C-alpha cells in the first residue's frame, strides 16, 4: 500500500467516526430538549431552560 491509499482509508475512517458522533449528538439533543424549544427563534431560550432545571 502506498501513502495515498493509507490516507484515503484514514479519511474514510474519520468520516465514519464523525457521522457516528453526529448521530449520537442528534439522539442526545432530541431526547434532552422538546421539539418546540428547538425550533423556536428566541435566542437564549435553551440556556434559560437549562438554568431552571438544575440537577
Amino acid at each position: 500500500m502506498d501513502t495515498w491509499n493509507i490516507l484515503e482509508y484514514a479519511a474514510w475512517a474519520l468520516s465514519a467516526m464523525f457521522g457516528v458522533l453526529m448521530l449520537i449528538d442528534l439522539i442526545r439533543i432530541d431526547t434532552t430538549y422538546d421539539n418546540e424549544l428547538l425550533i423556536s427563534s428566541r435566542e437564549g431560550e435553551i440556556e434559560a431552560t437549562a438554568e431552571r432545571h438544575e440537577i
Side-chain angles (χ1 to χ4, degrees), residues 3 8 26 28 40:
T3 305
E8 181 181 0
L26 171 82
R28 186 177 56 88
S40 70

Side-chain angles (χ1 to χ4, degrees), residues 20-32:
V20 169
L21 288 175
M22 287 172 50
L23 284 174
I24 291 170
D25 191 49
L26 171 82
I27 293 168
R28 186 177 56 88
I29 295 297
D30 194 40
T31 57
T32 304

Side-chain angles (χ1 to χ4, degrees), residues 37-54:
L37 180 65
L38 292 174
I39 61 172
S40 70
S41 62
R42 284 188 266 166
E43 188 175 335
E45 187 174 352
I46 292 175
E47 289 86 3
T49 304
E51 290 174 2
R52 280 186 245 138
H53 299 291
E54 293 181 6

